[in-house]
Amino acid sequence: MHDLTITILCDNIDGSLKNFENDPGFSAVIRCGNKTILFDTGMYAHTLTHNLSVGGISQRDIDAVVLSHNHNDHTNGLPAVLKMNPEVPVYIHREWESGIPFEGMTVPVGNKRIAENPGTQHGLPDNVLLTGALHSSDYGGIREHAACILLDAAFILLCGCCHPGLVSFLDTRNELGIDPKLPFHIFGGMHGFSFTDKQAEHIKRNVLSVTLCHCTGHIDCFVRQFGSLCAAGVLGKTYSFR
């Protein structure tokens, strides 16, 4: 399998590389083989447009967009992509249309691709699996899915906000056909989630890295539990995995 990279395009948690502009939402671009996938789109289209340009990424080169959940700080940068790539497929979960606070922008019908079932999705690389839509009571109720990206001998759990909690997303490994003993990387926004010390100790032997982004509220707890494996994400930085 080719090297896989994830570049943080929208974030405001721990500084940025030169010329990247902070955004209160989250977005990251996944480069997998010859595919470029945008995971979430941040809060503002103008910020995403700017940071794509600084990162040397053309909207026309984006093969697909995956939106984790229907909150405006993860969806409202989408027009930045649609303006120059009007036919790009946008993957959402099947509970997307339920009325929720902080609802994001409407995904145009022609772009909408609904992930009806967990696992691989037509049009996405075979090693990019989407979890089912898991429920959280945050902000009056929200459903969110995450991406599990398979590597040669590990996987990446990529979350937008992780409203349902990391334990819940890790519990989806069986239905995705992922060996629970497989080592993994944790990447993305963790919102109010934190492991208990017992939970962290149980999974630590399988954790390869923890990159915390966006809305993570318990960075100190993650750092204490995972030590040098854990760091806050840097806007504009590209992270490589194999």
Side-chain angles (χ1 to χ4, degrees):
M1 186 179 294
H2 295 287
D3 286 359
L4 183 143
T5 65
I6 298 177
T7 303
I8 301 174
L9 287 179
C10 292
D11 200 3
N12 63 352
I13 197 167
D14 189 37
S16 64
L17 299 186
K18 185 177 180 180
N19 295 326
F20 283 86
E21 293 182 355
N22 286 349
D23 184 289
F26 181 67
S27 179
V29 66
I30 307 161
R31 291 187 178 93
C32 178
N34 62 353
K35 296 291 186 181
T36 300
I37 302 162
L38 190 66
F39 185 89
D40 286 344
T41 63
M43 173 76 88
Y44 299 117
H46 64 84
T47 308
L48 181 59
T49 297
H50 174 85
N51 289 346
L52 283 166
S53 177
V54 173
I57 303 165
S58 169
Q59 290 94 320
R60 295 186 179 92
D61 291 335
I62 295 172
D63 297 294
V65 177
V66 175
L67 297 178
S68 64
H69 63 295
N70 194 1
H71 277 170
N72 52 17
D73 54 344
H74 293 257
T75 68
N76 283 19
L78 183 59
V81 182
L82 296 179
K83 182 177 180 179
M84 296 181 65
N85 193 345
E87 297 183 3
V88 66
V90 179
Y91 291 82
I92 58 176
H93 58 69
R94 63 183 180 179
E95 307 290 342
W96 192 263
E97 304 297 343
S98 58
I100 52 173
F102 311 111
E103 187 171 4
M105 70 165 290
T106 300
V107 179
V109 172
N111 302 92
K112 190 182 299 183
R113 305 289 187 274
I114 299 175
E116 294 286 355
N117 298 298
T120 57
Q121 307 296 323
H122 179 72
L124 290 179
D126 289 343
N127 66 318
V128 178
L129 313 179
L130 300 185
T131 72
L134 306 185
H135 180 263
S136 168
S137 60
D138 287 351
Y139 302 115
I142 181 66
R143 290 189 179 272
E144 180 176 350
H145 61 180
C148 288
I149 308 167
L150 303 180
L151 305 169
D152 284 334
F155 74 96
I156 305 163
L157 175 58
L158 176 59
C159 299
C161 263
C162 202
H163 287 289
L166 267 174
V167 172
S168 296
F169 281 127
L170 288 170
D171 283 347
T172 67
R173 284 176 288 186
N174 284 335
E175 68 177 344
L176 293 176
I178 298 175
D179 184 344
K181 296 180 181 178
L182 195 66
F184 59 93
H185 303 269
I186 297 168
F187 200 108
M190 298 297 129
H191 198 58
F193 174 82
S194 62
F195 288 113
T196 65
D197 288 346
K198 184 176 181 179
Q199 289 170 330
E201 189 62 31
H202 177 70
I203 71 164
K204 189 174 180 179
R205 62 182 177 271
N206 288 331
V207 173
L208 298 173
S209 70
V210 181
T211 304
L212 303 172
C213 303
H214 179 47
C215 54
T216 304
H218 298 287
I219 294 177
D220 290 347
C221 183
F222 277 95
V223 171
R224 177 177 60 80
Q225 291 170 336
F226 294 97
S228 62
L229 297 176
C230 180
V234 176
L235 174 60
K237 184 175 178 178
T238 296
Y239 298 80
S240 296
F241 305 89
R242 326 186 42 116

mmCIF file with all atom_site columns, all heavy atoms in Angstrom, residues 83-105:
data_model
loop_
_atom_site.group_PDB
_atom_site.id
_atom_site.type_symbol
_atom_site.label_atom_id
_atom_site.label_alt_id
_atom_site.label_comp_id
_atom_site.label_asym_id
_atom_site.label_entity_id
_atom_site.label_seq_id
_atom_site.pdbx_PDB_ins_code
_atom_site.Cartn_x
_atom_site.Cartn_y
_atom_site.Cartn_z
_atom_site.occupancy
_atom_site.B_iso_or_equiv
_atom_site.pdbx_formal_charge
_atom_site.auth_seq_id
_atom_site.auth_comp_id
_atom_site.auth_asym_id
_atom_site.auth_atom_id
_atom_site.pdbx_PDB_model_num
ATOM 1   N N   . LYS A 1 83  ? -17.676 25.278 -5.597  1.00 0.00 ? 83  LYS A N   1
ATOM 2   C CA  . LYS A 1 83  ? -17.544 26.369 -6.566  1.00 0.00 ? 83  LYS A CA  1
ATOM 3   C C   . LYS A 1 83  ? -16.669 25.960 -7.741  1.00 0.00 ? 83  LYS A C   1
ATOM 4   O O   . LYS A 1 83  ? -16.969 26.309 -8.901  1.00 0.00 ? 83  LYS A O   1
ATOM 5   C CB  . LYS A 1 83  ? -16.957 27.603 -5.877  1.00 0.00 ? 83  LYS A CB  1
ATOM 6   C CG  . LYS A 1 83  ? -16.826 28.812 -6.793  1.00 0.00 ? 83  LYS A CG  1
ATOM 7   C CD  . LYS A 1 83  ? -16.304 30.010 -6.009  1.00 0.00 ? 83  LYS A CD  1
ATOM 8   C CE  . LYS A 1 83  ? -16.161 31.230 -6.922  1.00 0.00 ? 83  LYS A CE  1
ATOM 9   N NZ  . LYS A 1 83  ? -15.673 32.424 -6.165  1.00 0.00 ? 83  LYS A NZ  1
ATOM 10  N N   . MET A 1 84  ? -15.591 25.221 -7.479  1.00 0.00 ? 84  MET A N   1
ATOM 11  C CA  . MET A 1 84  ? -14.657 24.835 -8.537  1.00 0.00 ? 84  MET A CA  1
ATOM 12  C C   . MET A 1 84  ? -14.751 23.353 -8.896  1.00 0.00 ? 84  MET A C   1
ATOM 13  O O   . MET A 1 84  ? -14.151 22.909 -9.877  1.00 0.00 ? 84  MET A O   1
ATOM 14  C CB  . MET A 1 84  ? -13.224 25.177 -8.106  1.00 0.00 ? 84  MET A CB  1
ATOM 15  C CG  . MET A 1 84  ? -12.977 26.662 -7.921  1.00 0.00 ? 84  MET A CG  1
ATOM 16  S SD  . MET A 1 84  ? -11.264 27.025 -7.447  1.00 0.00 ? 84  MET A SD  1
ATOM 17  C CE  . MET A 1 84  ? -10.375 26.503 -8.929  1.00 0.00 ? 84  MET A CE  1
ATOM 18  N N   . ASN A 1 85  ? -15.491 22.610 -8.123  1.00 0.00 ? 85  ASN A N   1
ATOM 19  C CA  . ASN A 1 85  ? -15.622 21.171 -8.341  1.00 0.00 ? 85  ASN A CA  1
ATOM 20  C C   . ASN A 1 85  ? -17.085 20.798 -8.101  1.00 0.00 ? 85  ASN A C   1
ATOM 21  O O   . ASN A 1 85  ? -17.418 20.084 -7.151  1.00 0.00 ? 85  ASN A O   1
ATOM 22  C CB  . ASN A 1 85  ? -14.688 20.428 -7.365  1.00 0.00 ? 85  ASN A CB  1
ATOM 23  C CG  . ASN A 1 85  ? -14.499 18.972 -7.714  1.00 0.00 ? 85  ASN A CG  1
ATOM 24  O OD1 . ASN A 1 85  ? -15.240 18.404 -8.510  1.00 0.00 ? 85  ASN A OD1 1
ATOM 25  N ND2 . ASN A 1 85  ? -13.513 18.343 -7.102  1.00 0.00 ? 85  ASN A ND2 1
ATOM 26  N N   . PRO A 1 86  ? -17.991 21.274 -8.961  1.00 0.00 ? 86  PRO A N   1
ATOM 27  C CA  . PRO A 1 86  ? -19.422 21.192 -8.676  1.00 0.00 ? 86  PRO A CA  1
ATOM 28  C C   . PRO A 1 86  ? -20.006 19.792 -8.666  1.00 0.00 ? 86  PRO A C   1
ATOM 29  O O   . PRO A 1 86  ? -21.129 19.600 -8.177  1.00 0.00 ? 86  PRO A O   1
ATOM 30  C CB  . PRO A 1 86  ? -20.047 22.032 -9.805  1.00 0.00 ? 86  PRO A CB  1
ATOM 31  C CG  . PRO A 1 86  ? -19.038 22.006 -10.900 1.00 0.00 ? 86  PRO A CG  1
ATOM 32  C CD  . PRO A 1 86  ? -17.700 21.981 -10.220 1.00 0.00 ? 86  PRO A CD  1
ATOM 33  N N   . GLU A 1 87  ? -19.304 18.812 -9.174  1.00 0.00 ? 87  GLU A N   1
ATOM 34  C CA  . GLU A 1 87  ? -19.839 17.454 -9.216  1.00 0.00 ? 87  GLU A CA  1
ATOM 35  C C   . GLU A 1 87  ? -19.181 16.529 -8.198  1.00 0.00 ? 87  GLU A C   1
ATOM 36  O O   . GLU A 1 87  ? -19.420 15.314 -8.203  1.00 0.00 ? 87  GLU A O   1
ATOM 37  C CB  . GLU A 1 87  ? -19.675 16.876 -10.627 1.00 0.00 ? 87  GLU A CB  1
ATOM 38  C CG  . GLU A 1 87  ? -20.462 17.642 -11.674 1.00 0.00 ? 87  GLU A CG  1
ATOM 39  C CD  . GLU A 1 87  ? -20.363 17.033 -13.062 1.00 0.00 ? 87  GLU A CD  1
ATOM 40  O OE1 . GLU A 1 87  ? -19.716 15.980 -13.204 1.00 0.00 ? 87  GLU A OE1 1
ATOM 41  O OE2 . GLU A 1 87  ? -20.952 17.607 -14.000 1.00 0.00 ? 87  GLU A OE2 1
ATOM 42  N N   . VAL A 1 88  ? -18.376 17.063 -7.297  1.00 0.00 ? 88  VAL A N   1
ATOM 43  C CA  . VAL A 1 88  ? -17.674 16.220 -6.328  1.00 0.00 ? 88  VAL A CA  1
ATOM 44  C C   . VAL A 1 88  ? -18.689 15.483 -5.439  1.00 0.00 ? 88  VAL A C   1
ATOM 45  O O   . VAL A 1 88  ? -19.657 16.065 -4.959  1.00 0.00 ? 88  VAL A O   1
ATOM 46  C CB  . VAL A 1 88  ? -16.710 17.067 -5.468  1.00 0.00 ? 88  VAL A CB  1
ATOM 47  C CG1 . VAL A 1 88  ? -17.458 18.053 -4.571  1.00 0.00 ? 88  VAL A CG1 1
ATOM 48  C CG2 . VAL A 1 88  ? -15.797 16.167 -4.644  1.00 0.00 ? 88  VAL A CG2 1
ATOM 49  N N   . PRO A 1 89  ? -18.518 14.174 -5.234  1.00 0.00 ? 89  PRO A N   1
ATOM 50  C CA  . PRO A 1 89  ? -19.430 13.440 -4.341  1.00 0.00 ? 89  PRO A CA  1
ATOM 51  C C   . PRO A 1 89  ? -19.175 13.802 -2.883  1.00 0.00 ? 89  PRO A C   1
ATOM 52  O O   . PRO A 1 89  ? -18.022 13.957 -2.460  1.00 0.00 ? 89  PRO A O   1
ATOM 53  C CB  . PRO A 1 89  ? -19.101 11.973 -4.621  1.00 0.00 ? 89  PRO A CB  1
ATOM 54  C CG  . PRO A 1 89  ? -17.716 11.977 -5.159  1.00 0.00 ? 89  PRO A CG  1
ATOM 55  C CD  . PRO A 1 89  ? -17.539 13.277 -5.886  1.00 0.00 ? 89  PRO A CD  1
ATOM 56  N N   . VAL A 1 90  ? -20.253 13.941 -2.124  1.00 0.00 ? 90  VAL A N   1
ATOM 57  C CA  . VAL A 1 90  ? -20.163 14.303 -0.707  1.00 0.00 ? 90  VAL A CA  1
ATOM 58  C C   . VAL A 1 90  ? -20.846 13.198 0.102   1.00 0.00 ? 90  VAL A C   1
ATOM 59  O O   . VAL A 1 90  ? -22.054 12.981 -0.016  1.00 0.00 ? 90  VAL A O   1
ATOM 60  C CB  . VAL A 1 90  ? -20.840 15.663 -0.437  1.00 0.00 ? 90  VAL A CB  1
ATOM 61  C CG1 . VAL A 1 90  ? -20.762 16.017 1.049   1.00 0.00 ? 90  VAL A CG1 1
ATOM 62  C CG2 . VAL A 1 90  ? -20.196 16.764 -1.284  1.00 0.00 ? 90  VAL A CG2 1
ATOM 63  N N   . TYR A 1 91  ? -20.081 12.518 0.922   1.00 0.00 ? 91  TYR A N   1
ATOM 64  C CA  . TYR A 1 91  ? -20.578 11.374 1.674   1.00 0.00 ? 91  TYR A CA  1
ATOM 65  C C   . TYR A 1 91  ? -21.069 11.808 3.048   1.00 0.00 ? 91  TYR A C   1
ATOM 66  O O   . TYR A 1 91  ? -20.343 12.435 3.818   1.00 0.00 ? 91  TYR A O   1
ATOM 67  C CB  . TYR A 1 91  ? -19.469 10.325 1.813   1.00 0.00 ? 91  TYR A CB  1
ATOM 68  C CG  . TYR A 1 91  ? -19.129 9.661  0.511   1.00 0.00 ? 91  TYR A CG  1
ATOM 69  C CD1 . TYR A 1 91  ? -18.274 10.278 -0.398  1.00 0.00 ? 91  TYR A CD1 1
ATOM 70  C CD2 . TYR A 1 91  ? -19.694 8.432  0.153   1.00 0.00 ? 91  TYR A CD2 1
ATOM 71  C CE1 . TYR A 1 91  ? -17.964 9.674  -1.616  1.00 0.00 ? 91  TYR A CE1 1
ATOM 72  C CE2 . TYR A 1 91  ? -19.389 7.828  -1.060  1.00 0.00 ? 91  TYR A CE2 1
ATOM 73  C CZ  . TYR A 1 91  ? -18.530 8.463  -1.947  1.00 0.00 ? 91  TYR A CZ  1
ATOM 74  O OH  . TYR A 1 91  ? -18.236 7.874  -3.158  1.00 0.00 ? 91  TYR A OH  1
ATOM 75  N N   . ILE A 1 92  ? -22.316 11.457 3.335   1.00 0.00 ? 92  ILE A N   1
ATOM 76  C CA  . ILE A 1 92  ? -22.935 11.758 4.620   1.00 0.00 ? 92  ILE A CA  1
ATOM 77  C C   . ILE A 1 92  ? -23.590 10.484 5.150   1.00 0.00 ? 92  ILE A C   1
ATOM 78  O O   . ILE A 1 92  ? -23.771 9.516  4.404   1.00 0.00 ? 92  ILE A O   1
ATOM 79  C CB  . ILE A 1 92  ? -23.991 12.883 4.501   1.00 0.00 ? 92  ILE A CB  1
ATOM 80  C CG1 . ILE A 1 92  ? -25.084 12.492 3.496   1.00 0.00 ? 92  ILE A CG1 1
ATOM 81  C CG2 . ILE A 1 92  ? -23.337 14.203 4.100   1.00 0.00 ? 92  ILE A CG2 1
ATOM 82  C CD1 . ILE A 1 92  ? -26.221 13.503 3.376   1.00 0.00 ? 92  ILE A CD1 1
ATOM 83  N N   . HIS A 1 93  ? -23.944 10.473 6.434   1.00 0.00 ? 93  HIS A N   1
ATOM 84  C CA  . HIS A 1 93  ? -24.604 9.294  6.976   1.00 0.00 ? 93  HIS A CA  1
ATOM 85  C C   . HIS A 1 93  ? -26.117 9.402  6.795   1.00 0.00 ? 93  HIS A C   1
ATOM 86  O O   . HIS A 1 93  ? -26.662 10.452 6.449   1.00 0.00 ? 93  HIS A O   1
ATOM 87  C CB  . HIS A 1 93  ? -24.218 9.065  8.444   1.00 0.00 ? 93  HIS A CB  1
ATOM 88  C CG  . HIS A 1 93  ? -24.529 10.220 9.359   1.00 0.00 ? 93  HIS A CG  1
ATOM 89  N ND1 . HIS A 1 93  ? -25.808 10.588 9.676   1.00 0.00 ? 93  HIS A ND1 1
ATOM 90  C CD2 . HIS A 1 93  ? -23.710 11.085 10.024  1.00 0.00 ? 93  HIS A CD2 1
ATOM 91  C CE1 . HIS A 1 93  ? -25.789 11.608 10.513  1.00 0.00 ? 93  HIS A CE1 1
ATOM 92  N NE2 . HIS A 1 93  ? -24.517 11.939 10.735  1.00 0.00 ? 93  HIS A NE2 1
ATOM 93  N N   . ARG A 1 94  ? -26.815 8.297  7.009   1.00 0.00 ? 94  ARG A N   1
ATOM 94  C CA  . ARG A 1 94  ? -28.239 8.223  6.682   1.00 0.00 ? 94  ARG A CA  1
ATOM 95  C C   . ARG A 1 94  ? -29.135 8.966  7.673   1.00 0.00 ? 94  ARG A C   1
ATOM 96  O O   . ARG A 1 94  ? -30.329 9.148  7.414   1.00 0.00 ? 94  ARG A O   1
ATOM 97  C CB  . ARG A 1 94  ? -28.668 6.765  6.585   1.00 0.00 ? 94  ARG A CB  1
ATOM 98  C CG  . ARG A 1 94  ? -28.555 5.969  7.855   1.00 0.00 ? 94  ARG A CG  1
ATOM 99  C CD  . ARG A 1 94  ? -28.946 4.528  7.611   1.00 0.00 ? 94  ARG A CD  1
ATOM 100 N NE  . ARG A 1 94  ? -28.852 3.731  8.824   1.00 0.00 ? 94  ARG A NE  1
ATOM 101 C CZ  . ARG A 1 94  ? -29.155 2.440  8.871   1.00 0.00 ? 94  ARG A CZ  1
ATOM 102 N NH1 . ARG A 1 94  ? -29.543 1.818  7.779   1.00 0.00 ? 94  ARG A NH1 1
ATOM 103 N NH2 . ARG A 1 94  ? -29.052 1.781  10.001  1.00 0.00 ? 94  ARG A NH2 1
ATOM 104 N N   . GLU A 1 95  ? -28.587 9.407  8.814   1.00 0.00 ? 95  GLU A N   1
ATOM 105 C CA  . GLU A 1 95  ? -29.371 10.184 9.790   1.00 0.00 ? 95  GLU A CA  1
ATOM 106 C C   . GLU A 1 95  ? -29.149 11.683 9.631   1.00 0.00 ? 95  GLU A C   1
ATOM 107 O O   . GLU A 1 95  ? -29.520 12.468 10.488  1.00 0.00 ? 95  GLU A O   1
ATOM 108 C CB  . GLU A 1 95  ? -28.969 9.751  11.214  1.00 0.00 ? 95  GLU A CB  1
ATOM 109 C CG  . GLU A 1 95  ? -29.039 8.268  11.483  1.00 0.00 ? 95  GLU A CG  1
ATOM 110 C CD  . GLU A 1 95  ? -30.459 7.742  11.543  1.00 0.00 ? 95  GLU A CD  1
ATOM 111 O OE1 . GLU A 1 95  ? -31.375 8.574  11.718  1.00 0.00 ? 95  GLU A OE1 1
ATOM 112 O OE2 . GLU A 1 95  ? -30.649 6.522  11.405  1.00 0.00 ? 95  GLU A OE2 1
ATOM 113 N N   . TRP A 1 96  ? -28.576 12.091 8.521   1.00 0.00 ? 96  TRP A N   1
ATOM 114 C CA  . TRP A 1 96  ? -28.114 13.459 8.327   1.00 0.00 ? 96  TRP A CA  1
ATOM 115 C C   . TRP A 1 96  ? -29.215 14.499 8.414   1.00 0.00 ? 96  TRP A C   1
ATOM 116 O O   . TRP A 1 96  ? -29.013 15.599 8.918   1.00 0.00 ? 96  TRP A O   1
ATOM 117 C CB  . TRP A 1 96  ? -27.432 13.563 6.962   1.00 0.00 ? 96  TRP A CB  1
ATOM 118 C CG  . TRP A 1 96  ? -26.671 14.829 6.752   1.00 0.00 ? 96  TRP A CG  1
ATOM 119 C CD1 . TRP A 1 96  ? -27.095 15.959 6.114   1.00 0.00 ? 96  TRP A CD1 1
ATOM 120 C CD2 . TRP A 1 96  ? -25.333 15.096 7.185   1.00 0.00 ? 96  TRP A CD2 1
ATOM 121 N NE1 . TRP A 1 96  ? -26.108 16.910 6.117   1.00 0.00 ? 96  TRP A NE1 1
ATOM 122 C CE2 . TRP A 1 96  ? -25.013 16.398 6.767   1.00 0.00 ? 96  TRP A CE2 1
ATOM 123 C CE3 . TRP A 1 96  ? -24.381 14.357 7.871   1.00 0.00 ? 96  TRP A CE3 1
ATOM 124 C CZ2 . TRP A 1 96  ? -23.776 16.977 7.025   1.00 0.00 ? 96  TRP A CZ2 1
ATOM 125 C CZ3 . TRP A 1 96  ? -23.149 14.928 8.128   1.00 0.00 ? 96  TRP A CZ3 1
ATOM 126 C CH2 . TRP A 1 96  ? -22.854 16.226 7.702   1.00 0.00 ? 96  TRP A CH2 1
ATOM 127 N N   . GLU A 1 97  ? -30.378 14.176 7.907   1.00 0.00 ? 97  GLU A N   1
ATOM 128 C CA  . GLU A 1 97  ? -31.428 15.183 7.749   1.00 0.00 ? 97  GLU A CA  1
ATOM 129 C C   . GLU A 1 97  ? -32.219 15.463 9.020   1.00 0.00 ? 97  GLU A C   1
ATOM 130 O O   . GLU A 1 97  ? -33.095 16.329 9.021   1.00 0.00 ? 97  GLU A O   1
ATOM 131 C CB  . GLU A 1 97  ? -32.397 14.740 6.639   1.00 0.00 ? 97  GLU A CB  1
ATOM 132 C CG  . GLU A 1 97  ? -31.736 14.461 5.299   1.00 0.00 ? 97  GLU A CG  1
ATOM 133 C CD  . GLU A 1 97  ? -31.064 15.687 4.690   1.00 0.00 ? 97  GLU A CD  1
ATOM 134 O OE1 . GLU A 1 97  ? -31.369 16.817 5.117   1.00 0.00 ? 97  GLU A OE1 1
ATOM 135 O OE2 . GLU A 1 97  ? -30.229 15.497 3.790   1.00 0.00 ? 97  GLU A OE2 1
ATOM 136 N N   . SER A 1 98  ? -31.978 14.742 10.104  1.00 0.00 ? 98  SER A N   1
ATOM 137 C CA  . SER A 1 98  ? -32.733 14.992 11.330  1.00 0.00 ? 98  SER A CA  1
ATOM 138 C C   . SER A 1 98  ? -32.435 16.388 11.855  1.00 0.00 ? 98  SER A C   1
ATOM 139 O O   . SER A 1 98  ? -31.295 16.844 11.833  1.00 0.00 ? 98  SER A O   1
ATOM 140 C CB  . SER A 1 98  ? -32.378 13.942 12.400  1.00 0.00 ? 98  SER A CB  1
ATOM 141 O OG  . SER A 1 98  ? -31.001 13.957 12.669  1.00 0.00 ? 98  SER A OG  1
ATOM 142 N N   . GLY A 1 99  ? -33.460 17.079 12.334  1.00 0.00 ? 99  GLY A N   1
ATOM 143 C CA  . GLY A 1 99  ? -33.300 18.452 12.795  1.00 0.00 ? 99  GLY A CA  1
ATOM 144 C C   . GLY A 1 99  ? -32.441 18.526 14.044  1.00 0.00 ? 99  GLY A C   1
ATOM 145 O O   . GLY A 1 99  ? -32.686 17.820 15.024  1.00 0.00 ? 99  GLY A O   1
ATOM 146 N N   . ILE A 1 100 ? -31.432 19.365 14.035  1.00 0.00 ? 100 ILE A N   1
ATOM 147 C CA  . ILE A 1 100 ? -30.512 19.474 15.161  1.00 0.00 ? 100 ILE A CA  1
ATOM 148 C C   . ILE A 1 100 ? -30.074 20.923 15.342  1.00 0.00 ? 100 ILE A C   1
ATOM 149 O O   . ILE A 1 100 ? -30.069 21.703 14.398  1.00 0.00 ? 100 ILE A O   1
ATOM 150 C CB  . ILE A 1 100 ? -29.244 18.613 14.934  1.00 0.00 ? 100 ILE A CB  1
ATOM 151 C CG1 . ILE A 1 100 ? -28.621 18.947 13.573  1.00 0.00 ? 100 ILE A CG1 1
ATOM 152 C CG2 . ILE A 1 100 ? -29.538 17.135 15.033  1.00 0.00 ? 100 ILE A CG2 1
ATOM 153 C CD1 . ILE A 1 100 ? -27.297 18.295 13.332  1.00 0.00 ? 100 ILE A CD1 1
ATOM 154 N N   . PRO A 1 101 ? -29.694 21.315 16.567  1.00 0.00 ? 101 PRO A N   1
ATOM 155 C CA  . PRO A 1 101 ? -29.097 22.640 16.760  1.00 0.00 ? 101 PRO A CA  1
ATOM 156 C C   . PRO A 1 101 ? -27.765 22.747 16.014  1.00 0.00 ? 101 PRO A C   1
ATOM 157 O O   . PRO A 1 101 ? -27.088 21.741 15.806  1.00 0.00 ? 101 PRO A O   1
ATOM 158 C CB  . PRO A 1 101 ? -28.889 22.711 18.273  1.00 0.00 ? 101 PRO A CB  1
ATOM 159 C CG  . PRO A 1 101 ? -29.799 21.675 18.854  1.00 0.00 ? 101 PRO A CG  1
ATOM 160 C CD  . PRO A 1 101 ? -29.874 20.583 17.828  1.00 0.00 ? 101 PRO A CD  1
ATOM 161 N N   . PHE A 1 102 ? -27.418 23.940 15.632  1.00 0.00 ? 102 PHE A N   1
ATOM 162 C CA  . PHE A 1 102 ? -26.164 24.213 14.924  1.00 0.00 ? 102 PHE A CA  1
ATOM 163 C C   . PHE A 1 102 ? -26.092 23.495 13.583  1.00 0.00 ? 102 PHE A C   1
ATOM 164 O O   . PHE A 1 102 ? -25.018 23.150 13.111  1.00 0.00 ? 102 PHE A O   1
ATOM 165 C CB  . PHE A 1 102 ? -24.936 23.846 15.780  1.00 0.00 ? 102 PHE A CB  1
ATOM 166 C CG  . PHE A 1 102 ? -24.980 24.388 17.160  1.00 0.00 ? 102 PHE A CG  1
ATOM 167 C CD1 . PHE A 1 102 ? -25.147 23.557 18.252  1.00 0.00 ? 102 PHE A CD1 1
ATOM 168 C CD2 . PHE A 1 102 ? -24.877 25.754 17.385  1.00 0.00 ? 102 PHE A CD2 1
ATOM 169 C CE1 . PHE A 1 102 ? -25.201 24.070 19.545  1.00 0.00 ? 102 PHE A CE1 1
ATOM 170 C CE2 . PHE A 1 102 ? -24.911 26.269 18.667  1.00 0.00 ? 102 PHE A CE2 1
ATOM 171 C CZ  . PHE A 1 102 ? -25.087 25.428 19.743  1.00 0.00 ? 102 PHE A CZ  1
ATOM 172 N N   . GLU A 1 103 ? -27.258 23.248 12.979  1.00 0.00 ? 103 GLU A N   1
ATOM 173 C CA  . GLU A 1 103 ? -27.286 22.499 11.725  1.00 0.00 ? 103 GLU A CA  1
ATOM 174 C C   . GLU A 1 103 ? -26.459 23.199 10.659  1.00 0.00 ? 103 GLU A C   1
ATOM 175 O O   . GLU A 1 103 ? -26.496 24.411 10.498  1.00 0.00 ? 103 GLU A O   1
ATOM 176 C CB  . GLU A 1 103 ? -28.724 22.338 11.243  1.00 0.00 ? 103 GLU A CB  1
ATOM 177 C CG  . GLU A 1 103 ? -28.861 21.440 10.034  1.00 0.00 ? 103 GLU A CG  1
ATOM 178 C CD  . GLU A 1 103 ? -30.316 21.136 9.726   1.00 0.00 ? 103 GLU A CD  1
ATOM 179 O OE1 . GLU A 1 103 ? -31.200 21.689 10.405  1.00 0.00 ? 103 GLU A OE1 1
ATOM 180 O OE2 . GLU A 1 103 ? -30.558 20.344 8.810   1.00 0.00 ? 103 GLU A OE2 1
ATOM 181 N N   . GLY A 1 104 ? -25.701 22.405 9.927   1.00 0.00 ? 104 GLY A N   1
ATOM 182 C CA  . GLY A 1 104 ? -24.855 22.939 8.882   1.00 0.00 ? 104 GLY A CA  1
ATOM 183 C C   . GLY A 1 104 ? -25.599 23.145 7.580   1.00 0.00 ? 104 GLY A C   1
ATOM 184 O O   . GLY A 1 104 ? -26.814 23.013 7.505   1.00 0.00 ? 104 GLY A O   1
ATOM 185 N N   . MET A 1 105 ? -24.836 23.437 6.534   1.00 0.00 ? 105 MET A N   1
ATOM 186 C CA  . MET A 1 105 ? -25.448 23.730 5.246   1.00 0.00 ? 105 MET A CA  1
ATOM 187 C C   . MET A 1 105 ? -26.031 22.459 4.627   1.00 0.00 ? 105 MET A C   1
ATOM 188 O O   . MET A 1 105 ? -25.626 21.340 4.927   1.00 0.00 ? 105 MET A O   1
ATOM 189 C CB  . MET A 1 105 ? -24.431 24.347 4.296   1.00 0.00 ? 105 MET A CB  1
ATOM 190 C CG  . MET A 1 105 ? -23.338 23.416 3.807   1.00 0.00 ? 105 MET A CG  1
ATOM 191 S SD  . MET A 1 105 ? -22.474 24.090 2.381   1.00 0.00 ? 105 MET A SD  1
ATOM 192 C CE  . MET A 1 105 ? -23.735 23.979 1.117   1.00 0.00 ? 105 MET A CE  1
#
